[in-house]
Amino acid sequence: MIFWWVTGLLLVAALAVWAITFWHRRAMRRSPVLVANSRYMDRIPSFVRAQRTARVVRVLQVGIAVFAVIAASLLSGRIASERIQTPEFSSRDIVLCLDVSGSMYEYDAEILDTFAQLVDTFDGERVALSIFNSTSRTVFPLTNDYDLIERELEAGAEAIDFDEFGYRLGNRDYSEDKVRQYVEFVEGTRGIPDEASIVPDGLASCAQVFDRAEEDRSRSIIFATDNEVNGDPIFTLDEATQRVADREIDLYTFYPGAFECGPRCFEELEAATEDQDGELYESSDPEAIPSIINEIQKTQAEVMGATPTVVRTDHPATGFVLTFLALVGILVLGWRTR
């Protein structure tokens, strides 16, 4: 009930009117009109029935009047329900663009696992996964088949959780099934010998995953890389981010830190991202990935005007029907006692 105070005021006013009327009737009873030779009327059956009927009608009138006041008060108070609503993202496309070079495995696993948990909250969004090292591979294209998305993300999170450097050095031991799972997942990302982590080309490839160019859709890339390029890319990083911006794709970059490159890798990635109005998130802690993903989701919601709003729905039908029936009852009884 929105205007509960209106209901309260009407009920107080009705109570005041009843008190005044009751006091006035008591005052009238103190000075009754005496009629001589009228005692015999109490023995007339028709008169007794009329008195009994009149009392019943008066009780009904009072009851219906009280009911009408209560119903009208509730109606005036505006009965309504409230719910929190967040507009759907049915026109949103998201591409997870992950650098799967050896130094990124912990972060990639967290990103994929976090997104797999977010799938249940999606309603119409399309998601794609593209991974790259020296070359790129699309694991699955843009789709809203959430069973497939969740299955592929969970499988990817399990497969990429593999310390390749430690395995090669003999510091980490994995089963043959685990090794095969990892190799199958990164298959197609090592197409250029002696090169690795070709970041600009990987980002440019991710921008090509988006389809339906003629439709007005929200397009976003979640880009995770340490920006340690080992090879000769076709594009520069500025050219790659420019291609993303030209296609009106929002860029959210996750930078976990670099092992060899140092501050230069971060500064280059930061400048290229922010020059195209993208957002860069920095964290050396894989456990921070869920909060970063949630922050990205929140930022997208704000950009799309999808902040949660309170939706209020009026329910006047019940109060209106009860008030109408009470008024009809009063009119019928008034006609009966005319």
Side-chain angles (χ1 to χ4, degrees), residues 218-222 244 248-252 277-278 300 303:
S218 168
R219 298 175 172 86
S220 305
I221 289 177
I222 296 179
V244 170
E248 298 182 349
I249 301 169
D250 297 321
L251 180 61
Y252 301 94
D277 296 324
Q300 287 180 310
V303 169

Side-chain angles (χ1 to χ4, degrees), residues 51-62:
Q51 282 189 313
R52 188 182 301 116
T53 302
R55 283 194 295 269
V56 172
V57 170
R58 282 198 300 272
V59 171
L60 288 175
Q61 283 180 317
V62 171

Side-chain angles (χ1 to χ4, degrees), residues 30 93 183 250 266 278 324:
R30 292 196 187 103
D93 292 340
V183 171
D250 297 321
F266 171 72
F324 177 76

Side-chain angles (χ1 to χ4, degrees), residues 3 5 16 35 43 47 58 65 83 96 99 106 124 142 172 199 206 210 221 258 271 279 302 305 319:
F3 302 122
W5 52 272
V35 179
R43 296 190 295 271
F47 182 74
R58 282 198 300 272
R83 59 189 173 88
L96 300 178
D99 179 350
E106 288 183 283
L142 283 167
R172 298 294 298 271
V199 174
C206 290
F210 294 94
I221 289 177
E279 298 282 344
E302 292 173 355

